Amino acid sequence: MSDRPAFATQAIGAANIPDSRGINFYTSDPGFAPLLRSYLGEAAFGSIEAQLVSLGLRASDELDALALVADKHPPTLEQRTRRGEATQRIDKHPDYVELERVAYAELGLAAMSHRANAPAPLVKYALTYLFVQAEFGLCCPVSMTDSLTRTLRRFGTPELVARYLPKLASQDFDTLFQGAMFMTEQAAGSDVARIATRATHERDANGDDVWRLHGDKWFCSNPDADLAMVLARPDDAPPGIKGLALFLLPKTLPDGTRNAYRIVRLKDKLGSRSMASGEIVLEGAQAYLIGEVGRGFHQMADMINMSRLSNGVRAAGLMRRAVTEALHVARNREAFGRKLIDMPLMQRQLLKMMLPAEQARSMFMRIATLLERADRGDMLAARGDALAAKCVRILTPLIKFRACRDARRVTGDAMEVRGGVGYIEEWSDPRLVRDAHLGSIWEGTSNIVALDVARAAKREGALEALTLYVHAELAESGLPDASAALLREVFDRAGAALVSVAECGRDESVRQAASALYNATTAVFMACEAARVSSVAADYRRLALAHLIVRHKLLPRDPLALDERDANAATLRALVDEQPLPLADAMQLMPAR
């Protein structure tokens, strides 16, 4: 007989530590398909639905596994060969390279908008929204490649476009070009006017114009990209933004030699660890002038705005991944004899995560739809499309400002739902939290982007355009009169607050005003979406969520008054369960006026 003590057998398995691997991020998100169909229309949606189903499964399984490994094995910089020859090679983990292959070659996320018969921008962003739920870091180079191509097509010479567009729009993984944006300097982060990188104009032996760049760029993501857009100051240009010019910097010159710039080192980043970011020294690197000297920042602003929109899409994707993880844990883990999701306090926490996730999703879908109209306006100069362009101008910094900040909190709350296991790097939660913090820094910090919202409202008439658009949407929505009136009132009040801040230069209140406008605008968009979705199958869940946004984010409440037991507990539970909601139930959540 053994002398070893007997131990109670511990139950180990999915009931204790639920694992979402393989659940399909598309089909497990019941609100995604009806919403996307309402924007794209039946034909366009039907053409990509199978791809969405496939990507949803891959994102939760194969791609997520690759992303976890790539996050733990960041790229390394090889400066020299073993014989001492300069090499400037960035070694990427094979799992990251496989993710690149999927994003660039299989899905064509960077090339999609620049090929013949390109689909609506929303198709690209919908696929990105799913892809980022597995891998965040790679979406930065993908976005920069897409944005660089757009900027080159808008402002580059026909010769440059003809030379480089085929490689940028290619899906041949072995020959396609990736893009980057080298702008930040130590003294010139948000204060772009302080850029010191110099551009010297010369003529070569053939009498052709040549520009050479000299200077240091402090933060360059995807530093070994084939092409980069660079802001620099020509030697005879004045100080400030008016002296900047935009240049296209190739890694390899037409004769096959390496251009004259060096990657000094790679950054050891908190998040997006899978993707290389580094410091660049320009040592007379040859570059091509894009557009006009003195218009460089304004030309690059289009690229920055597209990157900001991509940041918003990524934030929305991160939040949805966090919500999906939290819901999976809450629905499958038991504690104190009950499923977590049956506990009222957990239901409240989940709803507080769902609201900003759904707000960001509505906002990026609406911007993508308006962007398509705005780009048509560039060619047709139609009044309606000009209005769309102004709406995009203010909505883009809004989503960058608010959604990226919301993602930090939502991903943190999801980690808490999983508990101690969520703090362990074997799971996705720590990676989501780390990645989420980058969004509110890249392409302008929260303060800078909130000020840009006010600038768009004051100087460019963008708020006036958005007001016309929102009022027209509400008038045509078919929503109950009470809901439409409430939403119009809170939007107008939020708009008036932003006008007051912008006109009086009250910078200390600009984040408060921008947040109010974001909340009011997304509430309108979500309510109108509910009416459109319900024209196919009755479901007013998004109207209910819009009412909750107004109640909890836009109307005054006493912070010392404890919440009473909610008479609408069953309706709130249906929202947590992501079940279709009748109109009557959605109207019960409308706050009293």
PDB file of all heavy atoms in Angstrom, residues 483-514:
ATOM      1  N   SER A 483     -37.710  59.657 -30.202  1.00  0.00           N
ATOM      2  CA  SER A 483     -36.281  59.351 -30.290  1.00  0.00           C
ATOM      3  C   SER A 483     -35.569  60.339 -31.205  1.00  0.00           C
ATOM      4  O   SER A 483     -34.490  60.852 -30.875  1.00  0.00           O
ATOM      5  CB  SER A 483     -36.072  57.931 -30.808  1.00  0.00           C
ATOM      6  OG  SER A 483     -36.442  56.975 -29.852  1.00  0.00           O
ATOM      7  N   ALA A 484     -36.159  60.631 -32.347  1.00  0.00           N
ATOM      8  CA  ALA A 484     -35.537  61.556 -33.287  1.00  0.00           C
ATOM      9  C   ALA A 484     -35.372  62.940 -32.667  1.00  0.00           C
ATOM     10  O   ALA A 484     -34.323  63.591 -32.828  1.00  0.00           O
ATOM     11  CB  ALA A 484     -36.369  61.636 -34.567  1.00  0.00           C
ATOM     12  N   ALA A 485     -36.382  63.394 -31.945  1.00  0.00           N
ATOM     13  CA  ALA A 485     -36.313  64.717 -31.308  1.00  0.00           C
ATOM     14  C   ALA A 485     -35.235  64.754 -30.230  1.00  0.00           C
ATOM     15  O   ALA A 485     -34.479  65.734 -30.120  1.00  0.00           O
ATOM     16  CB  ALA A 485     -37.669  65.079 -30.713  1.00  0.00           C
ATOM     17  N   LEU A 486     -35.156  63.695 -29.429  1.00  0.00           N
ATOM     18  CA  LEU A 486     -34.145  63.631 -28.379  1.00  0.00           C
ATOM     19  C   LEU A 486     -32.744  63.649 -28.979  1.00  0.00           C
ATOM     20  O   LEU A 486     -31.858  64.397 -28.528  1.00  0.00           O
ATOM     21  CB  LEU A 486     -34.345  62.366 -27.540  1.00  0.00           C
ATOM     22  CG  LEU A 486     -33.257  62.058 -26.505  1.00  0.00           C
ATOM     23  CD1 LEU A 486     -33.240  63.109 -25.409  1.00  0.00           C
ATOM     24  CD2 LEU A 486     -33.449  60.668 -25.918  1.00  0.00           C
ATOM     25  N   LEU A 487     -32.529  62.856 -29.989  1.00  0.00           N
ATOM     26  CA  LEU A 487     -31.204  62.757 -30.599  1.00  0.00           C
ATOM     27  C   LEU A 487     -30.811  64.060 -31.281  1.00  0.00           C
ATOM     28  O   LEU A 487     -29.654  64.485 -31.224  1.00  0.00           O
ATOM     29  CB  LEU A 487     -31.176  61.597 -31.593  1.00  0.00           C
ATOM     30  CG  LEU A 487     -31.298  60.204 -30.969  1.00  0.00           C
ATOM     31  CD1 LEU A 487     -31.626  59.165 -32.021  1.00  0.00           C
ATOM     32  CD2 LEU A 487     -30.014  59.839 -30.233  1.00  0.00           C
ATOM     33  N   ARG A 488     -31.781  64.713 -31.918  1.00  0.00           N
ATOM     34  CA  ARG A 488     -31.497  66.002 -32.562  1.00  0.00           C
ATOM     35  C   ARG A 488     -31.111  67.040 -31.498  1.00  0.00           C
ATOM     36  O   ARG A 488     -30.173  67.832 -31.689  1.00  0.00           O
ATOM     37  CB  ARG A 488     -32.724  66.484 -33.338  1.00  0.00           C
ATOM     38  CG  ARG A 488     -32.463  67.738 -34.184  1.00  0.00           C
ATOM     39  CD  ARG A 488     -33.710  68.155 -34.952  1.00  0.00           C
ATOM     40  NE  ARG A 488     -34.147  67.111 -35.866  1.00  0.00           N
ATOM     41  CZ  ARG A 488     -35.228  66.349 -35.677  1.00  0.00           C
ATOM     42  NH1 ARG A 488     -35.987  66.517 -34.590  1.00  0.00           N
ATOM     43  NH2 ARG A 488     -35.560  65.428 -36.560  1.00  0.00           N
ATOM     44  N   GLU A 489     -31.812  67.017 -30.388  1.00  0.00           N
ATOM     45  CA  GLU A 489     -31.541  67.990 -29.325  1.00  0.00           C
ATOM     46  C   GLU A 489     -30.145  67.808 -28.744  1.00  0.00           C
ATOM     47  O   GLU A 489     -29.390  68.783 -28.594  1.00  0.00           O
ATOM     48  CB  GLU A 489     -32.587  67.854 -28.217  1.00  0.00           C
ATOM     49  CG  GLU A 489     -32.346  68.782 -27.034  1.00  0.00           C
ATOM     50  CD  GLU A 489     -33.301  68.519 -25.890  1.00  0.00           C
ATOM     51  OE1 GLU A 489     -34.444  68.068 -26.137  1.00  0.00           O
ATOM     52  OE2 GLU A 489     -32.903  68.763 -24.731  1.00  0.00           O
ATOM     53  N   VAL A 490     -29.761  66.571 -28.415  1.00  0.00           N
ATOM     54  CA  VAL A 490     -28.451  66.374 -27.796  1.00  0.00           C
ATOM     55  C   VAL A 490     -27.328  66.630 -28.800  1.00  0.00           C
ATOM     56  O   VAL A 490     -26.262  67.146 -28.438  1.00  0.00           O
ATOM     57  CB  VAL A 490     -28.315  64.969 -27.166  1.00  0.00           C
ATOM     58  CG1 VAL A 490     -29.290  64.807 -26.004  1.00  0.00           C
ATOM     59  CG2 VAL A 490     -28.493  63.864 -28.187  1.00  0.00           C
ATOM     60  N   PHE A 491     -27.557  66.300 -30.066  1.00  0.00           N
ATOM     61  CA  PHE A 491     -26.531  66.599 -31.072  1.00  0.00           C
ATOM     62  C   PHE A 491     -26.346  68.113 -31.199  1.00  0.00           C
ATOM     63  O   PHE A 491     -25.212  68.606 -31.244  1.00  0.00           O
ATOM     64  CB  PHE A 491     -26.894  65.998 -32.432  1.00  0.00           C
ATOM     65  CG  PHE A 491     -25.913  66.380 -33.507  1.00  0.00           C
ATOM     66  CD1 PHE A 491     -24.760  65.651 -33.700  1.00  0.00           C
ATOM     67  CD2 PHE A 491     -26.135  67.508 -34.303  1.00  0.00           C
ATOM     68  CE1 PHE A 491     -23.836  66.028 -34.671  1.00  0.00           C
ATOM     69  CE2 PHE A 491     -25.215  67.887 -35.273  1.00  0.00           C
ATOM     70  CZ  PHE A 491     -24.061  67.138 -35.458  1.00  0.00           C
ATOM     71  N   ASP A 492     -27.430  68.852 -31.278  1.00  0.00           N
ATOM     72  CA  ASP A 492     -27.327  70.300 -31.432  1.00  0.00           C
ATOM     73  C   ASP A 492     -26.645  70.942 -30.222  1.00  0.00           C
ATOM     74  O   ASP A 492     -25.853  71.887 -30.369  1.00  0.00           O
ATOM     75  CB  ASP A 492     -28.713  70.916 -31.641  1.00  0.00           C
ATOM     76  CG  ASP A 492     -29.285  70.606 -33.021  1.00  0.00           C
ATOM     77  OD1 ASP A 492     -28.529  70.134 -33.887  1.00  0.00           O
ATOM     78  OD2 ASP A 492     -30.502  70.819 -33.226  1.00  0.00           O
ATOM     79  N   ARG A 493     -26.936  70.415 -29.037  1.00  0.00           N
ATOM     80  CA  ARG A 493     -26.275  70.954 -27.847  1.00  0.00           C
ATOM     81  C   ARG A 493     -24.781  70.646 -27.870  1.00  0.00           C
ATOM     82  O   ARG A 493     -23.952  71.487 -27.501  1.00  0.00           O
ATOM     83  CB  ARG A 493     -26.910  70.377 -26.580  1.00  0.00           C
ATOM     84  CG  ARG A 493     -28.310  70.905 -26.278  1.00  0.00           C
ATOM     85  CD  ARG A 493     -28.786  70.408 -24.924  1.00  0.00           C
ATOM     86  NE  ARG A 493     -27.915  70.858 -23.853  1.00  0.00           N
ATOM     87  CZ  ARG A 493     -27.881  70.327 -22.625  1.00  0.00           C
ATOM     88  NH1 ARG A 493     -28.690  69.313 -22.337  1.00  0.00           N
ATOM     89  NH2 ARG A 493     -27.080  70.792 -21.703  1.00  0.00           N
ATOM     90  N   ALA A 494     -24.431  69.436 -28.290  1.00  0.00           N
ATOM     91  CA  ALA A 494     -23.011  69.083 -28.381  1.00  0.00           C
ATOM     92  C   ALA A 494     -22.306  69.940 -29.421  1.00  0.00           C
ATOM     93  O   ALA A 494     -21.176  70.410 -29.204  1.00  0.00           O
ATOM     94  CB  ALA A 494     -22.862  67.599 -28.719  1.00  0.00           C
ATOM     95  N   GLY A 495     -22.968  70.183 -30.555  1.00  0.00           N
ATOM     96  CA  GLY A 495     -22.385  71.039 -31.577  1.00  0.00           C
ATOM     97  C   GLY A 495     -22.189  72.460 -31.083  1.00  0.00           C
ATOM     98  O   GLY A 495     -21.157  73.084 -31.351  1.00  0.00           O
ATOM     99  N   ALA A 496     -23.173  72.973 -30.352  1.00  0.00           N
ATOM    100  CA  ALA A 496     -23.062  74.331 -29.807  1.00  0.00           C
ATOM    101  C   ALA A 496     -21.909  74.427 -28.811  1.00  0.00           C
ATOM    102  O   ALA A 496     -21.200  75.446 -28.764  1.00  0.00           O
ATOM    103  CB  ALA A 496     -24.374  74.733 -29.144  1.00  0.00           C
ATOM    104  N   ALA A 497     -21.710  73.386 -28.024  1.00  0.00           N
ATOM    105  CA  ALA A 497     -20.602  73.383 -27.068  1.00  0.00           C
ATOM    106  C   ALA A 497     -19.263  73.436 -27.799  1.00  0.00           C
ATOM    107  O   ALA A 497     -18.351  74.174 -27.392  1.00  0.00           O
ATOM    108  CB  ALA A 497     -20.678  72.137 -26.188  1.00  0.00           C
ATOM    109  N   LEU A 498     -19.140  72.676 -28.886  1.00  0.00           N
ATOM    110  CA  LEU A 498     -17.886  72.693 -29.639  1.00  0.00           C
ATOM    111  C   LEU A 498     -17.664  74.053 -30.288  1.00  0.00           C
ATOM    112  O   LEU A 498     -16.536  74.565 -30.308  1.00  0.00           O
ATOM    113  CB  LEU A 498     -17.885  71.588 -30.689  1.00  0.00           C
ATOM    114  CG  LEU A 498     -16.604  71.472 -31.517  1.00  0.00           C
ATOM    115  CD1 LEU A 498     -15.408  71.138 -30.632  1.00  0.00           C
ATOM    116  CD2 LEU A 498     -16.752  70.413 -32.614  1.00  0.00           C
ATOM    117  N   VAL A 499     -18.714  74.662 -30.812  1.00  0.00           N
ATOM    118  CA  VAL A 499     -18.595  75.995 -31.417  1.00  0.00           C
ATOM    119  C   VAL A 499     -18.110  76.996 -30.378  1.00  0.00           C
ATOM    120  O   VAL A 499     -17.214  77.818 -30.643  1.00  0.00           O
ATOM    121  CB  VAL A 499     -19.937  76.441 -32.010  1.00  0.00           C
ATOM    122  CG1 VAL A 499     -19.906  77.933 -32.355  1.00  0.00           C
ATOM    123  CG2 VAL A 499     -20.274  75.623 -33.254  1.00  0.00           C
ATOM    124  N   SER A 500     -18.685  76.933 -29.190  1.00  0.00           N
ATOM    125  CA  SER A 500     -18.287  77.853 -28.122  1.00  0.00           C
ATOM    126  C   SER A 500     -16.813  77.691 -27.773  1.00  0.00           C
ATOM    127  O   SER A 500     -16.077  78.673 -27.630  1.00  0.00           O
ATOM    128  CB  SER A 500     -19.146  77.608 -26.880  1.00  0.00           C
ATOM    129  OG  SER A 500     -18.698  78.386 -25.787  1.00  0.00           O
ATOM    130  N   VAL A 501     -16.371  76.440 -27.680  1.00  0.00           N
ATOM    131  CA  VAL A 501     -14.973  76.176 -27.346  1.00  0.00           C
ATOM    132  C   VAL A 501     -14.055  76.661 -28.459  1.00  0.00           C
ATOM    133  O   VAL A 501     -13.019  77.282 -28.215  1.00  0.00           O
ATOM    134  CB  VAL A 501     -14.776  74.658 -27.094  1.00  0.00           C
ATOM    135  CG1 VAL A 501     -13.296  74.304 -27.073  1.00  0.00           C
ATOM    136  CG2 VAL A 501     -15.429  74.250 -25.782  1.00  0.00           C
ATOM    137  N   ALA A 502     -14.431  76.363 -29.713  1.00  0.00           N
ATOM    138  CA  ALA A 502     -13.579  76.720 -30.848  1.00  0.00           C
ATOM    139  C   ALA A 502     -13.489  78.233 -31.031  1.00  0.00           C
ATOM    140  O   ALA A 502     -12.403  78.780 -31.266  1.00  0.00           O
ATOM    141  CB  ALA A 502     -14.115  76.066 -32.116  1.00  0.00           C
ATOM    142  N   GLU A 503     -14.607  78.932 -30.927  1.00  0.00           N
ATOM    143  CA  GLU A 503     -14.624  80.368 -31.185  1.00  0.00           C
ATOM    144  C   GLU A 503     -13.926  81.162 -30.087  1.00  0.00           C
ATOM    145  O   GLU A 503     -13.314  82.194 -30.360  1.00  0.00           O
ATOM    146  CB  GLU A 503     -16.059  80.855 -31.351  1.00  0.00           C
ATOM    147  CG  GLU A 503     -16.707  80.378 -32.656  1.00  0.00           C
ATOM    148  CD  GLU A 503     -18.093  80.947 -32.853  1.00  0.00           C
ATOM    149  OE1 GLU A 503     -18.643  81.504 -31.877  1.00  0.00           O
ATOM    150  OE2 GLU A 503     -18.625  80.838 -33.977  1.00  0.00           O
ATOM    151  N   CYS A 504     -14.020  80.671 -28.855  1.00  0.00           N
ATOM    152  CA  CYS A 504     -13.430  81.403 -27.736  1.00  0.00           C
ATOM    153  C   CYS A 504     -12.017  80.935 -27.401  1.00  0.00           C
ATOM    154  O   CYS A 504     -11.387  81.465 -26.487  1.00  0.00           O
ATOM    155  CB  CYS A 504     -14.314  81.271 -26.490  1.00  0.00           C
ATOM    156  SG  CYS A 504     -15.979  81.931 -26.708  1.00  0.00           S
ATOM    157  N   GLY A 505     -11.530  79.928 -28.127  1.00  0.00           N
ATOM    158  CA  GLY A 505     -10.184  79.424 -27.860  1.00  0.00           C
ATOM    159  C   GLY A 505     -10.044  78.770 -26.503  1.00  0.00           C
ATOM    160  O   GLY A 505      -8.970  78.826 -25.885  1.00  0.00           O
ATOM    161  N   ARG A 506     -11.110  78.126 -26.043  1.00  0.00           N
ATOM    162  CA  ARG A 506     -11.078  77.485 -24.713  1.00  0.00           C
ATOM    163  C   ARG A 506     -10.473  76.084 -24.850  1.00  0.00           C
ATOM    164  O   ARG A 506     -11.157  75.074 -24.748  1.00  0.00           O
ATOM    165  CB  ARG A 506     -12.484  77.429 -24.133  1.00  0.00           C
ATOM    166  CG  ARG A 506     -13.089  78.800 -23.848  1.00  0.00           C
ATOM    167  CD  ARG A 506     -14.588  78.725 -23.629  1.00  0.00           C
ATOM    168  NE  ARG A 506     -14.953  77.724 -22.627  1.00  0.00           N
ATOM    169  CZ  ARG A 506     -16.200  77.302 -22.421  1.00  0.00           C
ATOM    170  NH1 ARG A 506     -17.187  77.769 -23.172  1.00  0.00           N
ATOM    171  NH2 ARG A 506     -16.463  76.406 -21.492  1.00  0.00           N
ATOM    172  N   ASP A 507      -9.162  76.034 -25.033  1.00  0.00           N
ATOM    173  CA  ASP A 507      -8.503  74.758 -25.282  1.00  0.00           C
ATOM    174  C   ASP A 507      -8.674  73.777 -24.125  1.00  0.00           C
ATOM    175  O   ASP A 507      -8.693  72.560 -24.331  1.00  0.00           O
ATOM    176  CB  ASP A 507      -7.006  74.982 -25.530  1.00  0.00           C
ATOM    177  CG  ASP A 507      -6.747  75.678 -26.857  1.00  0.00           C
ATOM    178  OD1 ASP A 507      -7.711  75.900 -27.609  1.00  0.00           O
ATOM    179  OD2 ASP A 507      -5.571  76.003 -27.132  1.00  0.00           O
ATOM    180  N   GLU A 508      -8.808  74.312 -22.920  1.00  0.00           N
ATOM    181  CA  GLU A 508      -8.916  73.415 -21.759  1.00  0.00           C
ATOM    182  C   GLU A 508     -10.208  72.598 -21.773  1.00  0.00           C
ATOM    183  O   GLU A 508     -10.309  71.573 -21.092  1.00  0.00           O
ATOM    184  CB  GLU A 508      -8.836  74.220 -20.450  1.00  0.00           C
ATOM    185  CG  GLU A 508     -10.047  75.114 -20.149  1.00  0.00           C
ATOM    186  CD  GLU A 508     -10.015  76.457 -20.877  1.00  0.00           C
ATOM    187  OE1 GLU A 508      -9.097  76.658 -21.709  1.00  0.00           O
ATOM    188  OE2 GLU A 508     -10.889  77.297 -20.618  1.00  0.00           O
ATOM    189  N   SER A 509     -11.193  73.010 -22.569  1.00  0.00           N
ATOM    190  CA  SER A 509     -12.472  72.297 -22.630  1.00  0.00           C
ATOM    191  C   SER A 509     -12.672  71.532 -23.930  1.00  0.00           C
ATOM    192  O   SER A 509     -13.742  70.958 -24.149  1.00  0.00           O
ATOM    193  CB  SER A 509     -13.630  73.304 -22.459  1.00  0.00           C
ATOM    194  OG  SER A 509     -13.559  73.974 -21.222  1.00  0.00           O
ATOM    195  N   VAL A 510     -11.653  71.509 -24.792  1.00  0.00           N
ATOM    196  CA  VAL A 510     -11.867  70.954 -26.125  1.00  0.00           C
ATOM    197  C   VAL A 510     -12.093  69.444 -26.087  1.00  0.00           C
ATOM    198  O   VAL A 510     -12.870  68.902 -26.868  1.00  0.00           O
ATOM    199  CB  VAL A 510     -10.696  71.324 -27.066  1.00  0.00           C
ATOM    200  CG1 VAL A 510      -9.421  70.575 -26.712  1.00  0.00           C
ATOM    201  CG2 VAL A 510     -11.079  71.093 -28.524  1.00  0.00           C
ATOM    202  N   ARG A 511     -11.464  68.740 -25.159  1.00  0.00           N
ATOM    203  CA  ARG A 511     -11.673  67.289 -25.092  1.00  0.00           C
ATOM    204  C   ARG A 511     -13.085  66.977 -24.608  1.00  0.00           C
ATOM    205  O   ARG A 511     -13.723  66.024 -25.092  1.00  0.00           O
ATOM    206  CB  ARG A 511     -10.622  66.639 -24.193  1.00  0.00           C
ATOM    207  CG  ARG A 511      -9.280  66.549 -24.869  1.00  0.00           C
ATOM    208  CD  ARG A 511      -8.160  66.127 -23.962  1.00  0.00           C
ATOM    209  NE  ARG A 511      -8.390  64.831 -23.336  1.00  0.00           N
ATOM    210  CZ  ARG A 511      -7.400  64.032 -22.936  1.00  0.00           C
ATOM    211  NH1 ARG A 511      -6.138  64.380 -23.142  1.00  0.00           N
ATOM    212  NH2 ARG A 511      -7.654  62.889 -22.344  1.00  0.00           N
ATOM    213  N   GLN A 512     -13.582  67.761 -23.664  1.00  0.00           N
ATOM    214  CA  GLN A 512     -14.952  67.568 -23.183  1.00  0.00           C
ATOM    215  C   GLN A 512     -15.947  67.797 -24.324  1.00  0.00           C
ATOM    216  O   GLN A 512     -16.885  67.010 -24.520  1.00  0.00           O
ATOM    217  CB  GLN A 512     -15.237  68.531 -22.034  1.00  0.00           C
ATOM    218  CG  GLN A 512     -16.649  68.419 -21.474  1.00  0.00           C
ATOM    219  CD  GLN A 512     -16.925  69.468 -20.407  1.00  0.00           C
ATOM    220  OE1 GLN A 512     -16.047  70.266 -20.055  1.00  0.00           O
ATOM    221  NE2 GLN A 512     -18.145  69.479 -19.894  1.00  0.00           N
ATOM    222  N   ALA A 513     -15.741  68.868 -25.097  1.00  0.00           N
ATOM    223  CA  ALA A 513     -16.660  69.176 -26.192  1.00  0.00           C
ATOM    224  C   ALA A 513     -16.568  68.133 -27.299  1.00  0.00           C
ATOM    225  O   ALA A 513     -17.589  67.725 -27.866  1.00  0.00           O
ATOM    226  CB  ALA A 513     -16.356  70.572 -26.737  1.00  0.00           C
ATOM    227  N   ALA A 514     -15.343  67.695 -27.631  1.00  0.00           N
ATOM    228  CA  ALA A 514     -15.180  66.692 -28.682  1.00  0.00           C
ATOM    229  C   ALA A 514     -15.800  65.358 -28.264  1.00  0.00           C
ATOM    230  O   ALA A 514     -16.426  64.671 -29.075  1.00  0.00           O
ATOM    231  CB  ALA A 514     -13.699  66.513 -29.012  1.00  0.00           C
TER     232      ALA A 514
END
